[in-house]
Amino acid sequence: QVQLVESGGGLVQPGGSLRLSCAASSGRVFRISTMGWYRQAPGKQRELVAAITSGDNTNYADSVKGRFTISRDNAKNTVYLQMNSLKPEDTAVYYCNANSPQLAISRWGQGTQVTVSS
């Protein structure tokens, strides 16, 4: 079992920045998992924002390329999402996910609200 705890959400003005963090309770699971950030806006489906593999390969949604950066710190069992140049359309609940086919695990955090508004 692994638990994920997100933090760092909040209210920010358009053009501002936030950094989200997601801490995993198990280093063993974290190190071999692909870690992803997803978001869900009201009335919309949950969508992938960014993901990073255990080998540090990254993938981004087109809508955030050049503005968001995902990174991981295996020593701290933590994945980060640096969000710059935020837009109102980035407003959503952001969820962290740990996915490991080797362990047949896919776990979600509780979510953190990001609101971009003036």
Side-chain angles (χ1 to χ4, degrees):
Q1 288 283 357
V2 61
Q3 292 184 331
L4 304 175
V5 179
E6 299 107 332
S7 61
L11 173 64
V12 63
Q13 291 186 342
S17 298
L18 282 175
R19 188 176 81 155
L20 305 182
S21 300
C22 171
S25 62
S26 168
R28 181 179 72 93
V29 173
F30 181 84
R31 283 189 294 274
I32 66 172
S33 294
T34 291
M35 300 300 298
W37 284 99
Y38 291 73
R39 66 187 180 188
Q40 187 166 19
K44 295 188 176 181
Q45 289 188 333
R46 191 173 297 189
E47 63 175 358
L48 175 67
V49 176
I52 183 167
T53 68
S54 58
D56 288 339
N57 293 310
T58 58
N59 181 46
Y60 296 91
D62 288 343
S63 60
V64 306
K65 283 180 180 176
R67 299 189 298 122
F68 291 10
T69 302
I70 190 170
S71 61
R72 64 191 297 160
D73 185 337
N74 288 342
K76 296 182 178 179
N77 301 333
T78 300
V79 63
Y80 304 98
L81 185 68
Q82 177 66 44
M83 305 185 294
N84 299 328
S85 302
L86 282 160
K87 304 175 181 180
E89 51 263 43
D90 295 318
T91 296
V93 178
Y94 284 70
Y95 297 90
C96 176
N97 175 265
N99 185 56
S100 172
Q102 296 160 279
L103 300 177
I105 287 176
S106 181
R107 292 286 184 267
W108 293 91
Q110 81 285 355
T112 185
Q113 176 70 46
V114 172
T115 302
V116 185
S117 175
S118 56

